[in-house]
Amino acid sequence: MSDADTRAAPEEKPPAGKKFVFPSALTILAIVTLAVWALAFLIPSGAYDRDKDGSPVQGTYHRVDSGQSFVDRLNDLFLSPVNGLYGVQDQQTGQVGPDLSGELYGSAGVFLFVIAIGAFITVVFATGALDRGIGRLAHRLRDRGALLIAGVMLVFALLGTVEGFAEETLGFYGLIVPLMLALGYDRMVATGTIILGAGIGVLCSTVNPFATGVASSAADISLGDGIVLRAIMWVVLTAVTIAYVIRYATKVRANPGRSLSGFLPGDRDRTAADAGEPPDLTGLHKAVLVLVALVFTFMIFSVVPWSSALTGDAGAVPYGFELGWSFPELAALFLVAAVVVGVVARFGEQKLSATIIQGAADFISPALVIVLARGVTVIMNNSQITDTVLHSIEGLVSGTSSAAFAVFVFIVNLPLAFLIPSTSGHATLAMPILAPLADFAGVSRAVVVTAWQAASGWMNLWVPTTAVTIGGVALAKVGYDKYLRFVWPLLAILFALICGFVALGAVWT
């Protein structure tokens, strides 16, 4: 998945004299929690009038008295993780607490969904079907270099857009690097194929639960809202990225002296036969791959608001076949799917149970990140400073066009993505402010989600705080500085394309 803190990069000894290690997302959010709690004493409380849908009404902001004592505020800090999971918002007072009556404010639904999809993905990987399938694809295309690059990147991008496939790519360097060297390319081609292939998919997430899903939940919209724009982005940006890597690969193959990474001893001695042929796909592997495709296809079908997507009318009456599923149903879907895959793979009760438990354990980190981030918004809500912060930003974007607002959302999230490399935590923290701001600007909340995830994905293509990037260049034995030289022109192209897409999406919707 795409959270940078889910799986660790390969362990490396830090260079001498460099002892600073960037803190984890959990630590950053703990610091943010304390900082927001302290700032709540200084930021005045305020509120907007709400319409019948609960959205703030522009121009109605006014100061209010939160009525909280120091003990109340201290209690909010103490209970913030609990409230972030299953805090309930009282409909009369608007306060959130674990023992109140009203609507669920915490992120229990998203928390369970992350755990469920973690179990499913872990069971799938335990079958070996996905690894072997990609290995067979790479070997089959070994004599057609450009097609191999395009094929692998396309698969990674597809997995990235639907399930946040990112850290999982670290296991493919041992296969892809020798293949690329055998075909006359350098290690940078392999690095770009893996990092950029998966990364562009995550950047253009369509239904990625860890990016689009969490952000949509925090923005109070459907996971399928905005999927048409995101799908078009995925097609265009993936094509551009694949073309960029192939162009570099072609130059290096024709003139090895133009390689940015250079060659290590023995790199030029390999042949295509040296890469070795992976074992064939068994009938079981094929069955698992079909099941995985069916599960994700059904997930997309279940969340897309088909009447709105096909007619372009956000208020269109849903068709009879629409399911309108959200996180509770999707969590159940992936738990059932995990069991089905395990049964098909003939794991047996003991192995299947252990694998599901292991998967849940592996994904507890991003799940907790979501809870902590939601706990921060509870503190802001109970001290009634959320609307004050919203009002201060409202002044910055008032009078701007919808296109300019969408670009503003993309740009303002770039530094946030660096500070909070966890996509889930970043989304949960930012969306409660950005989504209502979209209402003021007359822009669809789905466009805000798209602009946010594009910022997060763009940053994660190069920042050294992600395991995918720093771990990838280490495994490929490519210097990080050389990777930056390789990728920066593409980053500039993607930056311009993203701005154009979100601006067009804001006007279009």
Side-chain angles (χ1 to χ4, degrees), residues 295-329:
V295 168
F296 280 106
T297 300
F298 183 76
M299 180 189 76
I300 295 171
F301 170 79
S302 69
V303 300
V304 171
W306 292 101
S307 59
S308 300
L310 296 178
T311 65
D313 179 9
V317 177
Y319 296 137
F321 62 81
E322 289 186 36
L323 295 179
W325 278 15
S326 188
F327 292 103
E329 294 87 356

Side-chain angles (χ1 to χ4, degrees), residues 8-9 13 127 140 149 236 254 257 260 263 287-288 299 319 340 390 493:
K13 293 182 180 180
T127 67
R140 179 169 294 183
I149 294 170
V236 174
L260 293 176
F263 296 89
V288 169
M299 180 189 76
Y319 296 137
V340 171
L390 178 60
I493 295 170

Side-chain angles (χ1 to χ4, degrees), residues 7 116-126 163 168 210 296 363:
R7 301 187 184 189
I117 199 170
F120 173 73
I121 290 172
T122 303
V123 170
V124 170
F125 269 98
E163 62 101 341
E168 295 86 350
F210 307 103
F296 280 106
F363 281 70

